[in-house]
Amino acid sequence: MKAILLAAGLGTRLRPITNEIPKCLVPINNKPLLAYWLEKLVELGVEDILINTHYFSDKVEFFIESSPYKEKVTLVKENKLLGTGGTLITNSDFWKGDDTLIIHADNYCGDSLKAFIKTHKARPKSCDATVLLFETTHPEQCGIVELNGDNVVNAFHEKVANPPTNLASGALFIFSKEVYERYLKNFSKNHFYELSIDIVPLLINHLYSYKTTLPFIDIGTPSAYQYVQSQFDD
């Protein structure tokens, strides 16, 4: 299994914290967020990890060079942001043909993801990918899913008023090795695409789900960041 850590965002909502540091390197309990993800992936047995960079890319490069996991990481700098979907398409040679974890590196995840991977392996034959879900108290701020009786996603609502459920997508996926050929091979490289807008809708009725009960938090705002930090306070 491979992994892609999407880490190129500007972190505008988290300013001034991100005025001099990319969001993926903000410290959580005195450790960069990206370190948590790398540790988690290595614990899962992932050997090949691609990280895209843009904002303060030199600081991400320095962090990886100093990391014990640097031999497992491929860094790809985007001089022009490609969007979360554009990164996947442009770097498809890295991951197509392999089961691959797709992760937004600016989320804090308390789940080990071991059960997530087991769920993906036990997915229905009709499903080519699996998404991590969590319950949210602010569904209007999230991508919200509806499930059928087999826990397959049959509707997706991206940040709409009065969404039908509070079951949110963590924008954390496992793509099976078939995903590229079945859904994405006709997309153009070096174009801007968003995962939630351009790719997820193609997977409706072919996207299995796993719900975590452990903390899963987008640290995109100062209040969310402080909340995550508070979880480590004595």
Side-chain angles (χ1 to χ4, degrees), residues 130-184:
T130 306
V131 59
L132 180 143
L133 306 177
F134 64 99
E135 292 186 357
T136 178
T137 55
H138 300 286
E140 71 285 349
Q141 299 176 12
C142 303
I144 296 297
V145 306
E146 296 181 71
L147 306 177
N148 67 16
D150 296 319
N151 292 322
V152 175
V153 176
N154 59 12
F156 180 75
H157 310 271
E158 177 66 8
K159 298 179 182 177
V160 298
N162 303 311
T165 75
N166 71 337
L167 202 53
S169 164
L172 197 164
F173 302 86
I174 302 176
F175 283 0
S176 73
K177 61 184 180 180
E178 292 81 17
V179 164
Y180 180 79
E181 287 296 324
R182 289 181 178 173
Y183 305 95
L184 306 179

Side-chain angles (χ1 to χ4, degrees), residues 47-230:
E47 293 292 328
D48 295 300
I49 304 165
L50 183 143
I51 302 174
N52 69 324
T53 67
H54 175 77
Y55 184 63
F56 285 120
S57 60
D58 57 327
K59 295 190 176 183
V60 180
E61 291 166 5
F62 179 81
F63 170 77
I64 293 300
E65 185 60 31
S66 305
S67 165
Y69 310 122
K70 65 178 181 179
E71 299 301 324
K72 302 178 186 295
V73 173
T74 299
L75 287 171
V76 177
K77 183 179 179 180
E78 295 178 7
N79 293 318
K80 178 180 72 173
L81 285 172
L82 296 170
T84 52
T87 296
L88 299 184
I89 301 302
T90 300
N91 295 286
S92 58
D93 288 345
F94 170 82
W95 64 272
K96 67 181 181 180
D98 290 278
D99 280 12
T100 303
L101 280 153
I102 311 297
I103 298 167
H104 287 65
D106 53 6
N107 291 326
Y108 173 79
C109 177
D111 197 304
S112 72
L113 302 183
K114 292 179 181 178
F116 179 43
I117 291 175
K118 288 182 179 179
T119 297
H120 176 72
K121 290 179 178 178
R123 69 191 184 279
K125 291 183 178 179
S126 62
C127 291
D128 295 310
T130 306
V131 59
L132 180 143
L133 306 177
F134 64 99
E135 292 186 357
T136 178
T137 55
H138 300 286
E140 71 285 349
Q141 299 176 12
C142 303
I144 296 297
V145 306
E146 296 181 71
L147 306 177
N148 67 16
D150 296 319
N151 292 322
V152 175
V153 176
N154 59 12
F156 180 75
H157 310 271
E158 177 66 8
K159 298 179 182 177
V160 298
N162 303 311
T165 75
N166 71 337
L167 202 53
S169 164
L172 197 164
F173 302 86
I174 302 176
F175 283 0
S176 73
K177 61 184 180 180
E178 292 81 17
V179 164
Y180 180 79
E181 287 296 324
R182 289 181 178 173
Y183 305 95
L184 306 179
K185 65 179 180 180
N186 293 324
F187 282 71
S188 299
K189 292 187 177 183
N190 297 308
H191 280 61
F192 187 96
Y193 301 108
E194 285 292 1
L195 184 55
S196 61
I197 296 172
D198 300 301
I199 295 176
V200 172
L202 303 177
L203 295 169
I204 297 301
N205 296 318
H206 302 286
L207 182 59
Y208 200 39
S209 66
Y210 163 82
K211 188 176 82 169
T212 185
T213 57
L214 294 164
F216 190 91
I217 303 163
D218 174 5
I219 63 160
T221 65
S223 60
Y225 175 63
Q226 293 302 326
Y227 175 76
V228 172
Q229 289 280 42
S230 72

Side-chain angles (χ1 to χ4, degrees), residues 4-23:
I4 296 176
L5 283 165
L6 298 165
L10 302 178
T12 53
R13 293 180 299 144
L14 197 54
R15 291 177 179 167
I17 298 169
T18 50
N19 279 348
E20 297 182 356
I21 189 172
K23 189 160 57 168

